[in-house]
């Protein structure tokens, strides 16, 4: 990151890193039940100024893809807005969540990097 004078600054000056969780639980439903399987969110289509990301959502019942009817909970969102912050010299680039590799009781990860307006990684990224 750089400060308003162009000097290299700590990556925390891009924003508070704690705002971005780097892992989360996933597929926490009991095994052998009906559940929504959601893919990772796509990368935001633009780095700042307001964009959109998408994901696939499929109902699974007894381990197989099924009609949405079989999943009793509300269907998770398939689209959401992203990167609504104004464009600036440096910003956080947050990757989509990795694919959850286990059917239940698991977690997934993502990468959080500080980048300049051309997408180049800052020396102080995580």
């Amino acid at each position: 990151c750089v400060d308003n004078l162009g000097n290299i600054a700590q990556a925390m000056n891009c924003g508070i890193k704690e705002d971005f969780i780097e892992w989360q639980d996933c597929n926490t439903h009991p095994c052998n039940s009906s559940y929504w399987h959601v893919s990772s969110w796509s990368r935001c289509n633009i780095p700042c100024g307001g964009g959109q990301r998408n994901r696939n959502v499929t109902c699974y019942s007894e381990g197989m893809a099924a009609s949405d009817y079989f999943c009793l909970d509300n269907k998770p969102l398939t689209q959401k807005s992203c990167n609504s912050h104004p464009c600036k010299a440096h910003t956080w680039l947050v990757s989509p969540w990795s694919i959850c590799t286990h059917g239940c009781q698991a977690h997934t990860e993502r990468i959080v990097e500080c980048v300049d307006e051309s997408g180049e990684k800052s020396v102080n990224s995580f």
Side-chain angles (χ1 to χ4, degrees):
C1 289
V2 294
D3 61 20
N4 57 355
L5 300 175
N7 300 314
I8 293 180
Q10 296 292 327
M12 67 183 190
N13 291 333
C14 279
I16 299 172
K17 183 179 186 306
E18 289 77 24
D19 286 349
F20 299 103
I21 300 168
E22 293 175 339
W23 70 272
Q24 69 178 2
D25 291 334
C26 62
N27 293 347
T28 56
H29 59 276
C31 295
N32 298 323
S33 65
S34 295
Y35 61 93
W36 292 109
H37 178 268
V38 295
S39 68
S40 297
W41 287 106
S42 65
R43 188 173 286 264
C44 194
N45 61 339
I46 57 175
C48 57
Q52 188 168 328
R53 50 178 49 183
N54 303 297
R55 68 180 176 182
N56 294 319
V57 177
T58 307
C59 177
Y60 274 80
S61 181
E62 298 182 17
M64 298 175 53
S67 166
D68 289 358
Y69 170 81
F70 290 98
C71 288
L72 302 178
D73 294 333
N74 292 332
K75 186 173 184 175
L77 296 174
T78 59
Q79 295 181 332
K80 70 176 180 176
S81 59
C82 56
N83 294 344
S84 58
H85 58 279
C87 296
K88 57 184 178 180
H90 283 81
T91 189
W92 287 110
L93 181 63
V94 181
S95 75
W97 290 105
S98 62
I99 294 173
C100 197
T101 57
H102 297 287
C104 55
Q105 304 295 321
H107 76 270
T108 182
E109 299 176 347
R110 66 181 177 180
I111 298 170
V112 179
E113 297 177 321
C114 182
V115 296
D116 63 20
E117 64 251 359
S118 64
E120 293 296 317
K121 184 176 170 181
S122 171
V123 202
N124 295 320
S125 286
F126 302 93

